[in-house]
Amino acid sequence: LLPPIVEDLDTRVRRWTEALSTESDSLKKYMMLAQLQAFDSTLFYKILVDNLPQLLPIVYTPTVGMACLHFDGNKRTHAGMYISYFQHRGRIRGILDNWPFSVDIVVVTDGGRVLGLGDLGTNGMGISIGKVSLYVAGGGFHPLHSLPVQLDCGTSNENYLQSPFYLGARKPRISAEEHAGFLEEFAMAVQDKWPA
């Protein structure tokens, strides 16, 4: 059974804002917000919009870099799309048909050089999710029409290749030539699916 009190949005915002204010560790705040975003995006964006100056360094740099280093072990959301060179090459346009909403903005990374942290592979998805959050909160994009994308091009990071939690293909990063062709296919597929 549920409690007899039904909280309005303002009360829920106050509850979460107070909880965030008592946490001093930025990475733990990031994880709290990621969990909130996964189960109540309305509340997440209300808190983010109302507190953008304070939360900007939590949902994006510098905290998102720390979060990306361990994204595979801390994954809390199914936000966005993962498109793999190894599984989806040659059929990206059809893969995009799996996204259920129209899209106004796509934020994409291949995780190759994230914030000076090196090759993070699919752990770079935190960058796309973080940027989408900022574009929604600060730029007025609707969250359902904003798509974070992680292109899985492999990784040269041995730690990720050996990790049982790594979310990407456990294969070396593709060559520059293969990468260029994959990016071109992706860009053309996005343009065809959601023309400007």
Side-chain angles (χ1 to χ4, degrees), residues 13-191:
V13 166
R14 194 167 72 237
R15 178 186 309 281
W16 271 87
T17 303
E18 287 182 19
L20 287 166
S21 71
T22 62
E23 179 55 66
S24 60
D25 185 291
S26 296
L27 189 55
K28 288 181 182 176
K29 282 185 184 183
Y30 175 92
M31 296 305 298
M32 289 170 67
L33 288 167
Q35 184 176 6
L36 177 60
Q37 185 178 23
F39 75 81
D40 190 341
S41 65
T42 300
L43 181 58
F44 169 79
Y45 282 113
K46 173 70 172 153
I47 290 169
L48 186 56
V49 167
D50 289 354
N51 300 281
L52 191 56
Q54 298 88 351
L55 294 178
L56 179 65
I58 303 299
V59 297
Y60 203 60
T61 59
T63 308
V64 74
M66 292 184 291
C68 284
L69 288 171
H70 307 287
F71 192 81
D72 54 347
N74 295 318
K75 185 174 185 295
R76 297 286 190 269
T77 180
H78 298 288
M81 291 187 87
Y82 288 79
I83 299 176
S84 172
Y85 173 84
F86 308 100
Q87 294 177 336
H88 305 129
R89 181 176 33 134
R91 56 192 189 94
I92 294 175
R93 177 58 183 81
I95 297 299
L96 293 178
D97 285 337
N98 290 300
W99 192 252
F101 309 106
S102 63
V103 170
D104 295 325
I105 186 171
V106 175
V107 179
V108 61
T109 185
D110 71 355
R113 285 175 274 191
V114 175
L115 301 174
L117 298 172
D119 184 352
L120 298 183
T122 57
N123 279 13
M125 180 57 130
I127 294 296
S128 293
I129 293 170
K131 282 188 177 180
V132 162
S133 297
L134 296 183
Y135 295 152
V136 169
F141 286 93
H142 193 287
L144 289 180
H145 304 290
S146 305
L147 177 59
V149 174
Q150 171 68 55
L151 297 179
D152 182 6
C153 298
T155 182
S156 298
N157 186 317
E158 275 302 315
N159 291 330
Y160 296 138
L161 291 172
Q162 301 304 317
S163 170
F165 301 116
Y166 183 64
L167 299 169
R170 288 178 178 81
K171 297 181 184 258
R173 184 162 285 278
I174 60 178
S175 71
E177 184 178 325
E178 292 166 322
H179 189 269
F182 190 52
L183 285 180
E184 181 177 3
E185 181 189 352
F186 173 75
M188 299 302 288
V190 167
Q191 179 62 35

